Amino acid sequence: MKKHSARVAPLSACNSPVLTLTKVEGDERSRESPAPAEAQMQAGAEGGGRVNRCCWKCSVTQVKKIFWGVAVVLGVCSSWSGSTQLAKLTFKKFDAPFTLTWFATNWNFLFFPLYYLGHVFKSAEKQSPKQRYRECCRFFGDNGLTLKVFFTKAAPFGVLWTLTNYLYLHAIKKINTTDVSVLFCCNKAFVFLLSWIVLRDRFMGVRIVAAIFAIAGIVMMTYADGFHSHSVIGIALVVGSASMSALYKVLFKLLLGSAKFGEAALFLSVLAVFNVLFVTCIPVILYFTKVEYWSSFDIVPWGNLCGFSILLLTFNILLNFGIAITYPTLISLGIVLSVPVNAVVDHYTSEIVFNSVRVIAIIIIGLGFLLLLLPEEWDVWVIKLLTRLKVRKKEEIPEGNGDIASGLPNKSRRTRPSMSSFAH
């Protein structure tokens, strides 16, 4: 017994100081090694604990992502609708859409500095601005951002960026902001059609239906005002803006591929440099030719111009970098939600008439936009979900019948062990 007591003392001291030595050898063995059933229960408890912790972490992560998604959706919706309404208000005092486009595009220069500030605060391996710039320049090729790359890969996108914003702002002068915002949602359908033709993306029937909805909505929106020249020009301008936006996205994917956050920030800042160097002459020409003329710089509403630029910059930041904290689909929903916001504002500030044709057109375009947000394998997911539901229904019926039928045999099997114990 002395040998046994020498073995158990350390175990009892490590695991629980309250344990006392027993004189029965079998008890000591049971203390040294748990029974197989107990070991299985402990292993099951530990495994269950790990699964619960993993599920808890996943659920917390998803909740955080959804929470940030709601915040980003509200930010996208408010910044996009706010910039549209502020542009409409600005044109009452300052009728210069191209100058406003040029002024707002210059603010894109802040993209890379803002990204670098985020890199400094968040990244563990901090780099100098020059090092970070050189690393992001690899996006343009092995030689970085050369003069040739600037004119071949950056300048075309600078032109498309300017045309997209100018046509959108010029359309706001012609028609109400509700029609402008809902028609611009058609750019998602144009992106799909161009990607299907140019990039040879996967054909999806539901997206073809969405594109048809977009085209039908454009026609109905034109018909809503009776095909007046003023409204037709405005609608054509918005459709042109949506087309330029779609061409920008498809060409970016074709020529440059996908970009990381730092590379995207640098690219947008380069567009601002292109705007300053090569687009500045156009507002000057428009001023002296009196196409976009203002008598004095004192009457320029600088507050509106800066406010519009800040809202547009915020919108582009959320649109390009919001995917770091939430789902891309939620970000796209913010653009659709700006339509009812603009409709409410127009209802109280303008003489817009929401006739049946206009309302149906808005619903059709919005539905087409939502269909385009469906993932590529949505049909496979739906089939799997329906299959699982059918299997569960089939399993529930036999299980219910089996429980009723096996009630008496189960009771007899439970009583047999007790009878055998009495026999012993």
Side-chain angles (χ1 to χ4, degrees):
M1 290 298 295
K2 288 183 180 179
K3 293 182 181 180
H4 288 294
S5 63
R7 290 179 184 172
V8 179
L11 287 171
S12 62
C14 291
N15 296 329
S16 176
V18 185
L19 289 177
T20 57
L21 297 175
T22 56
K23 295 181 180 179
V24 183
E25 184 175 352
D27 292 341
E28 291 174 356
R29 289 177 181 172
S30 65
R31 289 175 183 273
E32 290 178 9
S33 59
E38 293 177 356
Q40 291 178 1
M41 291 177 64
Q42 289 178 1
E46 290 177 0
R50 291 195 194 100
V51 172
N52 289 335
R53 284 194 296 270
C54 183
C55 293
W56 171 255
K57 288 180 181 179
C58 292
S59 61
V60 169
T61 304
Q62 290 177 351
V63 168
K64 284 183 179 179
K65 218 166 187 181
I66 292 172
F67 172 78
W68 282 112
V70 172
V72 171
V73 165
L74 294 176
V76 169
C77 177
S78 58
S79 59
W80 185 236
S81 58
S83 61
T84 302
Q85 293 294 334
L86 192 56
K88 186 81 171 179
L89 186 65
T90 303
F91 292 145
K92 294 179 180 179
K93 304 176 182 177
F94 184 71
D95 189 9
F98 195 93
T99 304
L100 182 58
T101 301
W102 172 85
F103 183 80
T105 305
N106 290 335
W107 287 63
N108 280 8
F109 186 78
L110 296 175
F111 266 102
F112 190 75
L114 290 174
Y115 161 76
Y116 182 74
L117 287 176
H119 163 76
V120 169
F121 283 109
K122 193 173 181 181
S123 180
E125 298 179 0
K126 295 177 175 58
Q127 297 177 327
S128 65
K130 191 174 182 180
Q131 290 175 334
R132 199 64 193 162
Y133 169 78
R134 286 180 177 176
E135 186 174 335
C136 293
C137 278
R138 295 176 186 173
F139 170 68
F140 295 100
D142 296 333
N143 297 326
L145 184 59
T146 60
L147 196 63
K148 180 182 178 181
V149 170
F150 179 81
F151 283 105
T152 56
K153 292 187 177 181
F157 294 100
V159 174
L160 290 174
W161 180 282
T162 302
L163 286 174
T164 299
N165 288 280
Y166 170 68
L167 293 174
Y168 185 86
L169 292 175
H170 197 68
I172 293 176
K173 290 176 53 183
K174 302 291 184 181
I175 55 179
N176 57 74
T177 57
T178 303
D179 294 350
V180 172
S181 58
V182 73
L183 288 169
F184 190 77
C185 290
C186 295
N187 76 322
K188 199 84 172 174
F190 299 157
V191 168
F192 163 69
L193 293 174
L194 286 174
S195 299
W196 181 40
I197 296 169
V198 178
L199 303 178
R200 304 295 181 182
D201 280 1
R202 178 187 170 189
F203 174 82
M204 291 182 64
V206 69
R207 293 187 177 178
I208 289 292
V209 174
I212 294 172
F213 280 176
I215 296 170
I218 293 170
V219 175
M220 292 184 70
M221 191 67 73
T222 309
Y223 178 75
D225 288 329
F227 292 98
H228 297 299
S229 60
H230 208 63
S231 63
V232 170
I233 292 172
I235 291 170
L237 289 170
V238 185
V239 173
S241 175
S243 302
M244 293 298 104
S245 175
L247 186 61
Y248 175 97
K249 294 176 181 178
V250 174
L251 285 180
F252 188 92
K253 192 174 181 181
L254 179 67
L255 300 177
L256 299 172
S258 58
K260 299 177 182 178
F261 294 120
E263 296 166 349
L266 178 62
F267 182 80
L268 292 170
S269 295
V270 170
L271 294 185
V273 175
F274 171 82
N275 186 68
V276 172
L277 294 178
F278 298 100
V279 184
T280 304
C281 59
I282 298 178
V284 175
I285 293 171
L286 293 176
Y287 175 79
F288 285 107
T289 55
K290 294 189 177 182
V291 175
E292 292 186 358
Y293 180 78
W294 54 96
S295 58
S296 173
F297 281 92
D298 295 333
I299 66 170
V300 176
W302 294 107
N304 289 2
L305 266 65
C306 292
F308 171 79
S309 303
I310 291 171
L311 287 172
L312 194 61
L313 179 67
T314 304
F315 171 77
N316 286 312
I317 288 174
L318 293 174
L319 203 65
N320 287 281
F321 304 121
I323 56 174
I325 56 176
T326 188
Y327 303 101
T329 304
L330 290 177
I331 300 174
S332 300
L333 286 176
I335 301 174
V336 181
L337 292 176
S338 66
V339 176
V341 173
N342 285 322
V344 171
V345 175
D346 285 346
H347 178 71
Y348 290 102
T349 59
S350 65
E351 298 178 355
I352 185 173
V353 178
F354 288 101
N355 52 31
S356 58
V357 178
R358 176 174 273 110
V359 172
I360 293 172
I362 292 173
I363 293 172
I364 287 176
I365 294 175
L367 182 60
F369 188 91
L370 293 176
L371 287 176
L372 289 166
L373 296 180
L374 291 173
E376 291 186 358
E377 298 181 352
W378 71 274
D379 51 345
V380 178
W381 294 352
V382 171
I383 292 171
K384 286 183 179 179
L385 181 62
L386 293 175
T387 305
R388 287 179 182 176
L389 291 174
K390 288 180 180 178
V391 170
R392 284 182 182 178
K393 286 181 179 179
K394 289 179 180 179
E395 288 177 352
E396 286 175 359
I397 296 170
E399 283 179 1
N401 296 334
D403 291 340
I404 296 170
S406 61
L408 292 172
N410 285 340
K411 289 181 181 179
S412 62
R413 281 197 295 269
R414 287 174 187 171
T415 55
R416 281 174 189 170
S418 62
M419 293 173 67
S420 62
S421 63
F422 279 111
H424 285 291

